[in-house]
Amino acid sequence: MKDQDGCATCHIFKEKEDEVSEVGGHTFKANTAACLKCHTDPEKKRDEAHQQISEKLSELEPLIEAFEKKESEDFKNAKFNFDLVRISGDYGVHNLTYSNKLLDYSLSILKGEGPGEKPKAEEPCLLCHKSLSTEQVAGWEQSEHAKSLETLLASSKAEDACLQCHSVDYRNDPANVTLETAQLPNGCGSCHQDHILETEFSGIGKNLLKPKNEVCNDCHTAGDAKPGDTLQSAQVEIFTGTGGIGVPDSPSIHFSIHEPKDGCVYCHTLSMTSETGEEISHTFEANLAVCSTCHKEPIATLEQAQEQISTQLAELTKLLDEYTDKESETFNKAKFNVDLVSLGESGAHNLKYSISLLEYSKSLLETPVTEFPAYDVNKDGVVDIADIDIVSAHFGESVADSLTPNPDADGSGTVDISDLALIGKHFGEITAPAAAPAIAATDDADK
Ligand code: HEC
Ligand code: HEC
Ligand code: HEC
Ligand code: HEC
Ligand code: HEC
Ligand code: HEC
Ligand code: HEC
Ligand code: HEC
C-alpha cells in the first residue's frame, strides 16, 4: 500500500455516509469499508490476527515479570519487541508476519531457548502470486531454482561471488549481499521484473527481465572462464556451440531451429503435465513431449546420445587423471573442454560439438609430454634470446631447484657465466616437435 494512500488506505480520511454512517471525517479510525477493496471477510481476518497476537502477548507478560536477569541484553531485546507490538495497537493487521516473528523471538529468549534460528525471509512476489498463479508457484517450488541458495550454502566452496546465480537478493542489491545476509533462492525476480499494480509492466513480454530466448543465459553459462578456472555451468556454450577450445564454433541444430524465439524454453517448456496428471508450469525440466514433433523415437535418440557422451567422458576423466603434468597448459585446455561438456551437455544440447570438443581434448592428452632440456630455460621448444634474458635477470643468484623457469641451466646451484655458455652452445636449436595440429572439427551441423 506504500504506493496508494499509506496509513490513510485503512484509516480513511472521510468516511462516506453510505459505507459507514456513524462518524464523519477526521476520526482516522481504521475503517472496515476500506478493507473490502481487497478482502471478502476482513472482520474475520482481523479477529484471527488479533487473537493470535493477543495470545502471545498474554503469554509474554508474566514471563517478563518473572525474568531474573533484567539487566541482560537478551532481556532488553525481548522486552523491546514486546513493547513494539503492544504499543502498535493493531495486534496483527499492520504486519502480522513481522509481529509474530518479533514475539516468537521474545518468547524463545524468555523461555530460555535462546534466540533460535534466524527468521527466514519469504519470496515477496508470493504474497499475491501464491493465489494468482498457482500453477507457476507450485512448479517453481518443486524446481531446483527454489533450492539454489540452500545448495550453495551447503557447498564448502561457497563464496559471495557465487550468489550472482544462486540468490535473487544478489540480483536486487549486488553491492551489499553476502553469504551471511542472502535469504532468498532464485525466486520470481530472477527472471521477472518487479511491478507496481495498476501501472504498465516495465518488463519484456510477460514482465521478463530479458527476452525469453535470453532469460536463462546469465546463469547457465561458463561466462568468461578460461582454461585453469573452475567452471560453474555451460549449457549456453554447448547450445550455441561457442567458447570451447580447438574446435570451430558450431551452434546446435536445435539452436538454429528454435533460438530466434524460444531459446532454452523451447524444450524446457513453461507448462507440462505432471506425474499426477495436473498441469504444472515453471519447473523448467526438459519436456520430452516436445521432441516427438521431429523425432520418431526421441527417448531412444536421447539415450544413445547420453550413452555416447558418458562413455567418452569416462575415458577422458581417466586420461586426465593419469596425465603427469597437471600444471601444464595442455592439461588445462583439455580439462576445460571436458568440463564444458560434462556441465553443459545433456545429450540434446549439441551432440556434434560436444563430441568434437572431447576428441580435441583427447588428442591433446595423447600427445606425449615432451621433456625439454634444461638449456631451453622457458621450455618453449627453441633455444633463443628469451632464455638468455631469464638467466640475465637472475645473474649471480643462488637458485633453488623449484624456480620456474629455472635459470640455473647447468644445475650448479648458482646462475653464472657457465649457464650462459651452455645456452650459447645450443643457441638456435629446436628442442621439441611443433604442437599437435588442431583436428578438423565436424562442420556439418546445419546439413
Ligand atoms: C491494512 C489497513 C491498515 C493500515 C494500512 C494501517 N492501519 Fe492502523 N489499524 C488498522 C486496524 C484494523 C487497527 C485496529 C483497529 C481495531 O482493532 O478495530 C489499527 C490500529 C491502529 C492504531 C491504534 C488505534 C487504537 O485505537 O488503539 C493506530 C495508532 C494506527 N493503527 C495507526 C496507523 C498508522 C500510523 C499507519 C501507517 C503507518 C496505519 N495505522 C496503517 C488498520 C490499518
Ligand atoms: C489494497 C488491498 C488490501 C486492503 C485495502 C486491505 N488488505 Fe489486508 N491484506 C491484503 C493482502 C494482499 C494480504 C496478504 C494475503 C492474504 O493473507 O490474504 C493481506 C493480509 C491481511 C491480514 C493477514 C495479515 C498478514 O500480515 O498476513 C489481515 C489480518 C488483514 N489483511 C486485514 C485487513 C484489514 C482489517 C483491512 C482493513 C482495515 C485490510 N486488511 C485492508 C490486501 C489488503
Ligand atoms: C500486490 C500483489 C502483487 C505482488 C506483490 C506481485 N504481483 Fe505480479 N501480478 C499481480 C496481479 C494482480 C497481476 C495481474 C493478474 C495476472 O495476470 O495474474 C500480476 C501479474 C504479474 C505477471 C504477468 C502475468 C501474465 O500473465 O502476464 C508477472 C510475470 C508477475 N506479476 C510477476 C511478479 C513478480 C516477479 C513479483 C515480485 C517481484 C510480483 N509479481 C509481485 C499482483 C502482484
Ligand atoms: C539467476 C540465475 C538463473 C537463471 C536466470 C536461470 N537459472 Fe536455472 N538454475 C540456476 C541454478 C543456480 C540452478 C541450480 C540450483 C540447485 O541445484 O540448487 C539451476 C537449475 C536449473 C535446472 C535443473 C538442473 C538440474 O541439474 O536438475 C534446470 C533444468 C534449469 N535451471 C533451467 C533453466 C531455464 C530453462 C532457465 C531460463 C528459463 C533458467 N534455468 C534460468 C540458476 C538460474
Ligand atoms: C554463472 C552462474 C553461476 C555461478 C557464478 C555459480 N553457479 Fe553454481 N550453478 C549454476 C547453475 C546454472 C547450476 C545448475 C546446474 C548446471 O547448470 O549444471 C549450478 C549448480 C550448482 C550446484 C549444484 C549442482 C552440483 O554441482 O552439485 C552447486 C553445489 C553450486 N552450483 C555451487 C556453486 C558455488 C560454490 C559457486 C561459487 C564458487 C557457484 N555455484 C557459482 C550457476 C552458477
Ligand atoms: C527461471 C526463470 C523464471 C522464474 C524463476 C520464474 N519465471 Fe515466470 N516466466 C518465465 C518465462 C520464461 C515465462 C514465459 C514468458 C513468455 O511466454 O513470453 C514466464 C511466464 C510467467 C507468467 C505468465 C503465465 C504463463 O505461464 O505464461 C506468470 C504469471 C509467471 N511467469 C509468474 C511467475 C512467478 C509467480 C514466479 C515465482 C514463483 C516465476 N514466474 C518465476 C520465467 C521464469
Ligand atoms: C532441443 C531441446 C533442448 C534445448 C533447446 C535445451 N535443452 Fe536443456 N535439456 C534437454 C534435454 C533432453 C535434457 C536432459 C533431460 C533428461 O535427461 O531427462 C536437458 C537437460 C538440461 C539441464 C539439466 C541437466 C541435467 O543433467 O539434468 C539443464 C540445466 C539444461 N538442460 C539447461 C538448458 C539451457 C540453459 C538451455 C539453453 C541454453 C537448454 N537447456 C536448451 C533439452 C534441451
Ligand atoms: C523442430 C524439430 C526438432 C525438435 C522439436 C527436436 N529435435 Fe532433436 N534434432 C532435430 C534435427 C533436425 C536434428 C539433426 C538430425 C541429424 O543430424 O541427424 C536433431 C538432432 C538431435 C540429436 C542428435 C542426434 C545425432 O545423432 O546427432 C539428439 C540427441 C536430439 N536431436 C534429441 C532431441 C530431444 C531429446 C528433443 C526434445 C527435447 C529434440 N531433439 C527435439 C530436430 C528436432
Side-chain angles (χ1 to χ4, degrees):
M1 292 173 186
K2 67 181 159 66
D3 300 305
Q4 302 196 11
D5 294 329
C7 313
T9 313
C10 301
H11 294 271
I12 55 178
F13 167 68
K14 175 91 178 141
E15 293 161 11
K16 285 199 209 111
E17 291 270 325
D18 54 347
E19 280 167 354
V20 171
S21 49
E22 296 149 39
V23 273
H26 281 74
T27 67
F28 290 116
K29 286 228 159 96
N31 189 317
T32 317
C35 324
L36 293 170
K37 266 198 275 179
C38 308
H39 294 288
T40 43
D41 195 353
E43 266 136 358
K44 180 158 164 266
K45 239 182 142 74
R46 183 199 57 198
D47 293 345
E48 281 167 8
H50 274 212
Q51 198 191 338
Q52 236 180 73
I53 297 298
S54 306
E55 274 170 13
K56 285 189 182 161
L57 287 173
S58 5
E59 192 182 351
L60 272 164
E61 220 167 340
L63 287 173
I64 287 175
E65 278 295 303
F67 202 77
E68 279 173 15
K69 295 186 216 127
K70 292 213 165 52
E71 288 309 309
S72 71
E73 209 51 36
D74 275 354
F75 177 78
K76 286 180 189 162
N77 287 340
K79 172 98 170 21
F80 187 82
N81 281 359
F82 171 81
D83 287 342
L84 263 189
V85 175
R86 188 181 50 84
I87 210 162
S88 77
D90 86 307
Y91 289 13
V93 178
H94 291 152
N95 197 340
L96 182 61
T97 313
Y98 189 57
S99 297
N100 262 321
K101 280 181 185 164
L102 292 173
L103 298 182
D104 288 344
Y105 181 86
S106 299
L107 276 169
S108 66
I109 297 247
L110 296 179
K111 284 177 173 170
E113 292 159 359
E117 265 184 57
K118 188 163 103 183
K120 270 185 116 175
E122 279 147 58
E123 167 63 60
C125 317
L126 296 191
L127 184 65
C128 301
H129 281 277
K130 197 153 196 145
S131 45
L132 280 174
S133 317
T134 45
E135 267 176 31
Q136 288 84 356
V137 172
W140 172 78
E141 279 175 342
Q142 279 181 27
S143 77
E144 301 297 322
H145 290 140
K147 304 180 193 107
S148 61
L149 186 57
E150 211 180 303
T151 317
L152 176 65
L153 294 178
S155 161
S156 57
K157 301 198 185 96
E159 53 185 50
D160 293 348
C162 313
L163 292 166
Q164 66 174 293
C165 305
H166 281 267
S167 168
V168 71
D169 291 333
Y170 180 94
R171 290 212 140 191
N172 292 334
D173 187 10
N176 296 313
V177 177
T178 65
L179 288 175
E180 279 282 296
T181 61
Q183 304 217 36
L184 295 172
N186 287 343
C188 318
S190 306
C191 300
H192 294 283
Q193 207 143 65
D194 199 355
H195 66 88
I196 297 168
L197 277 183
E198 295 169 29
T199 29
E200 287 263 12
F201 285 150
S202 45
I204 301 157
K206 305 271 177 190
N207 209 32
L208 289 175
L209 288 164
K210 298 218 165 148
K212 191 149 97 178
N213 59 353
E214 288 174 24
V215 76
C216 321
N217 294 10
D218 288 352
C219 303
H220 285 269
T221 176
D224 47 17
K226 297 176 301 300
D229 296 347
T230 308
L231 272 57
Q232 306 298 350
S233 183
Q235 287 88 17
V236 169
E237 283 71 17
I238 296 295
F239 188 50
T240 59
T242 54
I245 292 186
V247 172
D249 290 354
S250 156
S252 164
I253 177 73
H254 294 130
F255 175 89
S256 317
I257 305 175
H258 318 300
E259 161 58 17
K261 213 163 73 325
D262 294 318
C264 316
V265 186
Y266 185 85
C267 298
H268 295 268
T269 51
L270 278 186
S271 301
M272 58 204 273
T273 311
S274 78
E275 278 160 18
T276 50
E278 60 205 315
E279 271 297 295
I280 189 160
S281 173
H282 279 65
T283 65
F284 291 114
E285 278 165 22
N287 183 354
L288 298 184
V290 171
C291 326
S292 331
T293 6
C294 307
H295 293 281
K296 271 206 209 87
E297 291 177 52
I299 292 176
T301 312
L302 179 64
E303 281 174 357
Q304 262 169 30
Q306 287 175 337
E307 173 77 33
Q308 199 179 346
I309 292 291
S310 58
T311 314
Q312 293 223 21
L313 276 177
E315 191 187 337
L316 273 151
T317 310
K318 191 154 166 281
L319 285 175
L320 284 170
D321 258 3
E322 290 165 352
Y323 201 75
T324 42
D325 190 357
K326 295 202 168 56
E327 302 296 319
S328 67
E329 208 178 318
T330 308
F331 178 84
N332 284 337
K333 281 181 172 170
K335 182 161 186 302
F336 187 78
N337 278 358
V338 172
D339 287 347
L340 275 184
V341 175
S342 71
L343 284 169
E345 181 56 281
S346 61
H349 291 158
N350 196 346
L351 187 63
K352 287 186 179 136
Y353 185 64
S354 299
I355 298 287
S356 301
L357 291 176
L358 296 181
E359 278 172 359
Y360 182 73
S361 288
K362 199 168 161 210
S363 76
L364 284 178
L365 295 172
E366 284 178 341
T367 307
V369 185
T370 320
E371 295 288 346
F372 294 93
Y375 49 78
D376 181 3
V377 176
N378 64 2
K379 309 207 181 313
D380 66 347
V382 57
V383 187
D384 58 10
I385 189 75
D387 301 308
I388 292 185
D389 284 347
I390 296 169
V391 174
S392 310
H394 294 274
F395 205 82
E397 291 174 19
S398 344
V399 183
D401 278 348
S402 56
L403 209 76
T404 13
N406 186 2
D408 184 15
D410 66 356
S412 68
T414 33
V415 185
D416 53 21
I417 190 74
S418 58
D419 300 310
L420 287 179
L422 184 63
I423 294 170
K425 193 169 142 206
H426 294 277
F427 202 84
E429 279 180 21
I430 301 292
T431 59
I439 58 153
T442 34
D443 193 16
D444 51 357
D446 52 359
K447 83 179 166 203

